[in-house]
Amino acid sequence: MNQKWTRAICTVLTSALVFTGPAVEGTTFSGYINSGLEKVYAKTQKQKDAEKKKSQAEQDLKDKKNEINGLKDQQQTTADDIKNKSAKLDEILAAQKKLQTDITSKQAEIEQNQKDLAAAQEKQQEQYAAMKKRIQFMYENSAEDNIWTAIIESNGITDMLNRIEYVSDVYDSDRALMDSYQAAVEQVKEIGTKLDNDMNELTAMQDDYEKQQSDVEAAIVALENQKEQYASQIAQAQQQADNYQNIITAQGKIIQEQEAAAAAAAAAAATRANSSSGSSSYDGGGAGKGGSIASDYASGGGKNPSASTGVSGSSVVSYAMQFVGNPYVWAGNSLTNGVDCSGFVHEVYEHFGISTPRYSQAFKSVGQAVSFDNIQPGDVVVYPGHVAIYAGGGVIVEAQSTKAGITANRSVQCHTILAIRRLV
């Protein structure tokens, strides 16, 4: 390793230690060596604490979402039970309505039977009274002499037999009539007994339906109360989930700020190292006057879209910074062995599962537009003939040129800014 690289590394180490200061006491350093350049990245205690809190909040949020999903499943099951119970109640009410019709009809039959019985009994009594009068008449006029007189005075044997038979027929006829009326009365009574039994069965069914109705209505009330309890539990759990999400957002912001500050310090250290080694000026890596910004992206434009993925811009920057010092190769696709400017941005974002074009100027139409005053680490910056990733602290990380390789030391306004796009 020549003296020029030795001075550069010493400058990077000194700058990193000065930046982290007392806050990194006890902090371990992770690094790598690529093409003779040693990269130093240190996490502050504040970032460590934020990452720990964020990780815990993410686990708590996951658990709480599972709890909410479980409560929602139980709530849905309860709602289904209510629906089924309501359908059962409708069936009971419909059956009760039909039963009431049957009871009304049966009551009408019973009333008619009672009228028929009364009429039959009245007819029986009338016939009984008439028969008694005939019997009394015949008894009072049944002296032997009268019978002999009837025989003697008869006009022959035929007349005589007819007179004797008439008396017998009167008795037989009355008996037959009485038997028929008695049978009619008994038949009406039997019908009445059957109707009474039918009515008893119907009223028993009515009592059973009323009990079923009462039980189902009580079950529905209990299920409705249970459903309300689930709703209350879900609301409470959702509030806790929102609190966890707020913690994740807040700690993520702290992590982003810490990573951006570290990236800026590393970039500044690299700039000083390059200056001391006589390599602060590079060819290539864009064109256009520095400090100029396209009107659509100038400060005050108000463009500051919210995150559209679960990837943080600071994570993108941290990953990209690992390859600082690696070579620039036109049309290359390897972050380690060589890549050009658009390939660098493409490969970095592909690591996070985000699809991007392979031509620098095509980046002007991907993602969402961002005003310069709202630029954040991870945003893509497009220049004439060049594209880079904003690293925070006013600098970019980029595959700059064949001579410079992958760097993180140039100002974001090193050339005319044509577009700033947010992909995460």
Side-chain angles (χ1 to χ4, degrees):
M1 184 180 293
N2 58 34
Q3 293 182 351
K4 185 162 60 177
W5 279 112
T6 301
R7 286 198 301 272
I9 292 170
C10 289
T11 303
V12 172
L13 287 169
T14 303
S15 300
L17 290 171
V18 170
F19 166 70
T20 55
V24 295
E25 184 176 352
T27 302
T28 59
F29 292 89
S30 60
Y32 66 91
I33 301 176
N34 284 313
S35 302
L37 178 64
E38 183 175 337
K39 177 181 178 289
V40 180
Y41 176 74
K43 292 183 179 180
T44 65
Q45 190 61 44
K46 184 176 182 180
Q47 182 176 343
K48 283 185 174 182
D49 292 342
E51 288 177 347
K52 183 177 180 180
K53 291 177 181 178
K54 182 173 179 285
S55 177
Q56 182 61 52
E58 287 172 341
Q59 183 59 50
D60 291 339
L61 178 60
K62 180 180 178 181
D63 294 341
K64 191 58 63 176
K65 285 183 175 180
N66 289 336
E67 178 185 339
I68 291 172
N69 290 335
L71 288 170
K72 286 183 176 180
D73 288 342
Q74 291 175 313
Q75 186 184 45
Q76 184 58 52
T77 299
T78 302
D80 292 340
D81 290 342
I82 291 173
K83 183 178 179 180
N84 293 335
K85 291 292 184 184
S86 298
K88 180 64 176 176
L89 181 59
D90 290 341
E91 291 177 4
I92 293 172
L93 294 175
Q96 282 182 313
K97 185 176 180 180
K98 182 180 182 302
L99 179 62
Q100 189 58 50
T101 301
D102 292 343
I103 289 174
T104 301
S105 177
K106 193 63 66 176
Q107 184 62 42
E109 290 182 41
I110 290 173
E111 291 175 357
Q112 183 61 49
N113 174 261
Q114 290 173 344
K115 290 179 182 179
D116 293 343
L117 178 60
Q121 289 174 333
E122 182 180 358
K123 192 71 174 176
Q124 183 187 37
Q125 284 299 114
E126 290 176 355
Q127 179 60 27
Y128 178 66
M131 186 182 70
K132 283 201 304 182
K133 288 181 179 181
R134 283 193 296 274
I135 291 172
Q136 182 181 2
F137 173 80
M138 292 178 68
Y139 175 77
E140 292 174 349
N141 295 278
S142 62
E144 293 182 0
D145 56 344
N146 289 336
I147 296 175
W148 284 109
T149 299
I151 294 173
I152 293 171
E153 293 179 353
S154 62
N155 295 322
I157 187 64
T158 301
D159 184 40
M160 179 187 68
L161 292 175
N162 286 338
R163 291 186 182 208
I164 294 172
E165 186 178 6
Y166 170 74
V167 174
S168 177
D169 287 345
V170 168
Y171 280 108
D172 290 342
S173 176
D174 284 340
R175 184 63 185 175
L177 284 172
M178 286 301 298
D179 288 345
S180 67
Y181 287 133
Q182 181 62 35
V185 169
E186 292 301 323
Q187 184 179 11
V188 173
K189 284 183 177 180
E190 288 178 3
I191 294 174
T193 300
K194 183 178 183 305
L195 290 173
D196 288 340
N197 291 336
D198 290 346
M199 180 61 79
N200 290 335
E201 290 180 3
L202 291 174
T203 53
M205 289 174 62
Q206 186 178 44
D207 292 340
D208 183 59
Y209 280 137
E210 288 176 352
K211 185 179 184 304
Q212 289 184 42
Q213 178 183 351
S214 177
D215 291 344
V216 172
E217 287 175 342
I220 290 175
V221 170
L223 289 170
E224 289 287 0
N225 291 336
Q226 190 175 44
K227 184 180 176 182
E228 290 179 3
Q229 291 177 0
Y230 284 137
S232 176
Q233 292 174 3
I234 290 172
Q236 293 177 0
Q238 188 59 58
Q239 181 62 50
Q240 293 174 334
D242 292 341
N243 291 339
Y244 291 138
Q245 185 59 61
N246 291 338
I247 293 173
I248 292 171
T249 300
Q251 298 306 314
K253 185 176 181 181
I254 292 173
I255 294 169
Q256 183 176 343
E257 291 172 349
Q258 293 295 303
E259 289 179 343
T271 300
R272 287 191 290 273
N274 288 328
S275 297
S276 64
S277 63
S279 58
S280 59
S281 177
Y282 301 108
D283 295 329
K289 180 181 179 181
S292 177
I293 303 173
S295 59
D296 289 346
Y297 297 88
S299 297
K303 297 182 180 70
N304 189 24
S306 57
S308 59
T309 70
V311 180
S312 68
S314 56
S315 297
V316 173
V317 172
S318 295
Y319 180 72
M321 292 293 287
Q322 298 180 43
F323 305 101
V324 171
N326 288 350
Y328 176 103
V329 174
W330 186 82
N333 293 299
S334 172
L335 294 171
T336 302
N337 299 322
V339 68
D340 59 14
C341 66
S342 61
F344 175 73
V345 178
H346 174 79
E347 293 296 327
V348 167
Y349 271 96
E350 188 176 66
H351 173 76
F352 294 96
I354 299 172
S355 178
T356 64
R358 188 59 180 79
Y359 168 58
S360 63
Q361 300 308 294
F363 279 90
K364 290 189 292 185
S365 59
V366 298
Q368 303 176 82
V370 181
S371 299
F372 182 75
D373 51 352
N374 292 321
I375 192 170
Q376 295 179 8
D379 288 344
V380 174
V381 185
V382 183
Y383 306 96
H386 190 56
V387 64
I389 299 173
Y390 183 63
V395 298
I396 53 176
V397 57
E398 58 180 329
Q400 184 178 338
S401 66
T402 302
K403 182 177 181 179
I406 299 175
T407 64
N409 57 9
R410 290 208 299 173
S411 167
V412 67
Q413 292 183 276
C414 59
H415 295 294
T416 298
I417 295 176
L418 298 180
I420 305 170
R421 312 293 294 188
R422 185 163 299 161
L423 279 65
V424 295

